[in-house]
Every structure is written in C-alpha cells, then in structure tokens.
Amino acid sequence: MSTFLDLTFTGLVVGAIYALFALGYTLVYGVLRLINFAHSEVFMWGSFGAVWMMTLLGARQGMSVPVAIGFLLLALVAAMAVSGGVALVVERIAYRRLREKNAPPLVALISAIGASFMLSELMGLRDRIAGWLNLDGVLAPYVRLARENTTFVNPLPNVTVFSAGGFEIRSNQLIVLVAAILMMIALDQFVSRSRLGRGVRAVSQDPEAAALMGVNQKRVVQLTFVIGGLMAGAAALLYCIHIGVTRYNVGFVLGIKAFTAAVLGGIGNIRGALVGGLVLGLAENYATLFGLASSWKDVVSFLLLVVVLLFRPTGILGESLGKARA
C-alpha cells in the first residue's frame, strides 16, 4: 500500500508539471490551430533562467526558510521572464510573417521545428558563443559545461511533511503540486472571466467576428504566446525543484510528453491539459506496479495516448478553448 501511495503522489507531482507545460501547446492551438513545437525549448530556456538566478544570488543548500523562499520567488520571476521573452521572440520571428502571408500550416510546422533546434543549439553552444564575444571569463559561471547537466541549487530544505506506514510526502513535492494547480486555476479563471481572456476565447472561436467586434487579433496572438511562455517558465522552475538538474536538450522528451498530455485531455482545452497531465503522470508511475522497468514509462505514455484517441479522438474532455465557459 505504501508503494501504491508513493507512486500515486509522485505521479500527481510529475503530472502537474506536464499539465502546466502543456498549457502553452493548448493555448496556441486554441487560437491559431497550429502546434508550437518550439514550446519545448521555451521551457528549457526558462529552466536555465531559474538556474542563472540562483547562481547570481549565490544560493546554497541549508539556507533559512524565509531567505530560501525569497530566492525561489526571484527564480520564478526569472524563469517566467526568460520563457515569456523567448516565446514572444519565437512568435515574432517564426510565425508572424507566415501568418501575415497566410502560409500553409505545414510551413508553420517546419518553421517551429527549425526554431526549436535553433534555440536548443544556442543554449548548447553558449560557452563557444561567450568565447567568440570574449565574455567567457565574465560569464564563466553561466556558460561552463554547456552540453552537460547543469545543477539547480534549491536553498529550501526538503523535509518530510507527512509520513505513515512507509509512505511520506516531502516538502518539495508538495510545493510543486500545489503551485502547479494554483497557477492552472488562476489561468483558467483569467481566460474565463477577464476582458483579455474573453478576447482570447473570441479569436479562438471566430477570428473574423472577433475582428469585427474590435478585438485586436495581433495583440491576442502575442498575449497567447506570452502566457504560454510564462506557464512554461513556472513549470521549468517546478521541474528544477523536483529533479534538480537541467540541460540544453531537456525540453525534447518533456515537450513530447506535455504535448501528449494536451492531446490526451483535449487539445485547445485548458482544463483538459490539467486532466491529461495528471492522467499521464499517474499512468507512467502505475506501469511499475505491473513489473515494467522505469525505461518503459515513455512506451506506456504514448500507448495510453493511442488508446484514448482510438475511442475518443477529441481527448478526454474534448472542448475547445473558444467554447470554454466561466
């Protein structure tokens, strides 16, 4: 029973990260009907934003709780700012011109894949780029071992919050789960109730009618990318807290799983991203109960996706962003 409870709670924690990450895919698809495959690198850049902020602050393990919380909040701001900025650049460079020219969706997809590789390799070559600019001495703490794992220093003590019969909940796990769910609820309420959120839903449901009603589509698209980037940055910090390391290609597999979570719950549906992420995280962990090695987690994830789509092609919830209601 303790093993089952441990797998359940860990699955919920990982699933919450998937869900928060998946919101970027869901929002962009809901408005533009395209898959932003560069979103995985937006997440990756956010994780490095958090690492760099901790390096700048000189964070170390075992700091006092108030100071550690302050450092983590600053890391959250840095991660969200970096991811939001990168998402905005991706929209400006990789998508806007194609959208203005009414390019076919396949062209936008190729552009997204190209932007993804470019962002990944820029991070993987950051030590060489710093050397070319003669900044390798100044930026040494931020660019060394560019293609290796980079450690995230979590100054907050990871203590046991609850323990019973061999099952325990650690403080880092609780922080990740609660923070992810709160941010997803906040985003859902923003889209459902705010004026800007209604604009996003209007463009998603009927772009032409929204334009006639005075909704600025260009601004809505920018807002969609920025919000998706902000959520990816928050997910990146939570991932760093949970896993403790990041690297230049960390977004590849995680991005595919987040996209799987979005499709599983219903692509274009914010609440579907939450459901899909949690289901995916639980399914991965429960696979070990049937004697499967941890290396089979990816197989289980995509097998679950295939099974769900065979019986419900629109996903578990299947409601589009444009039809969402408060």
Side-chain angles (χ1 to χ4, degrees):
M1 178 57 71
S2 63
T3 301
F4 174 77
L5 292 175
D6 183 62
L7 290 174
T8 299
F9 192 74
T10 305
L12 291 175
V13 171
V14 175
I17 296 174
Y18 290 159
L20 198 59
F21 191 175
L23 290 174
Y25 292 108
T26 284
L27 286 170
V28 172
Y29 181 84
V31 172
L32 296 179
R33 293 297 185 270
L34 63 85
I35 305 300
N36 178 21
F37 279 115
H39 188 62
S40 57
E41 272 53 58
V42 171
F43 170 90
M44 178 270 294
W45 275 77
S47 69
F48 276 96
V51 169
W52 293 337
M53 176 56 73
M54 286 302 186
T55 302
L56 180 64
L57 295 173
R60 65 184 187 280
Q61 294 180 340
M63 302 181 73
S64 65
V65 173
V67 174
I69 292 175
F71 278 22
L72 286 176
L73 290 176
L74 289 175
L76 176 63
V77 172
M80 295 178 74
V82 170
S83 288
V86 172
L88 197 58
V89 170
V90 168
E91 187 276 331
R92 180 66 182 86
I93 296 176
Y95 293 116
R96 185 179 301 179
R97 187 68 174 171
L98 298 178
R99 195 172 66 251
E100 292 172 351
K101 294 293 184 180
N102 292 320
L106 181 60
V107 175
L109 178 63
I110 295 172
S111 178
I113 295 173
S116 175
F117 279 107
M118 180 193 71
L119 290 170
S120 177
E121 289 304 315
L122 279 176
M123 185 60 73
L125 295 172
R126 64 187 186 278
D127 53 348
R128 298 187 183 183
I129 295 173
W132 294 336
L133 298 175
N134 293 321
L135 295 173
D136 47 336
V138 178
L139 300 178
Y142 308 96
V143 301
R144 62 173 178 259
L145 302 175
R147 302 185 83 84
E148 303 295 331
N149 287 344
T150 301
T151 302
F152 173 80
V153 179
N154 183 4
L156 193 65
N158 188 20
V159 299
T160 301
V161 178
F162 174 81
S163 179
F167 166 68
E168 63 179 26
I169 297 176
R170 309 286 290 184
S171 57
N172 283 352
Q173 294 176 315
L174 196 60
I175 288 171
V176 170
L177 181 60
V178 172
I181 292 177
L182 287 177
M183 280 186 277
M184 283 183 282
I185 292 174
L187 178 62
D188 180 72
Q189 293 301 304
F190 171 80
V191 172
S192 299
R193 299 179 183 277
S194 71
R195 184 172 179 270
L196 292 174
R198 287 195 294 270
V200 171
R201 288 164 47 203
V203 172
S204 173
Q205 186 172 8
D206 192 331
E208 291 78 13
L212 291 174
M213 295 299 293
V215 177
N216 188 326
Q217 294 188 44
K218 180 179 177 181
R219 185 173 300 173
V220 166
V221 171
Q222 289 176 332
L223 176 66
T224 301
F225 272 86
V226 169
I227 292 176
L230 294 177
M231 294 298 104
L237 174 64
L238 298 182
Y239 173 83
C240 288
I241 291 174
H242 183 61
I243 302 298
V245 296
T246 186
R247 58 183 289 128
Y248 77 100
N249 59 356
V250 71
F252 180 71
V253 174
L254 283 173
I256 294 176
K257 289 189 177 182
F259 175 66
T260 301
V263 175
L264 191 63
I267 188 74
N269 187 331
I270 293 176
R271 296 171 187 176
L274 171 60
V275 173
L278 295 180
V279 169
L280 186 62
L282 289 172
E284 284 185 350
N285 274 18
Y286 285 160
T288 60
L289 289 176
F290 298 96
L292 297 178
S294 59
S295 57
W296 281 77
K297 283 186 175 182
D298 296 346
V299 177
V300 172
S301 300
F302 300 121
L303 180 61
L304 176 64
L305 174 66
V306 171
V307 171
V308 170
L309 293 182
L310 281 175
F311 294 97
R312 189 171 175 81
T314 57
I316 296 173
L317 298 186
E319 184 183 344
S320 69
L321 179 66
K323 296 178 181 179
R325 292 289 181 265

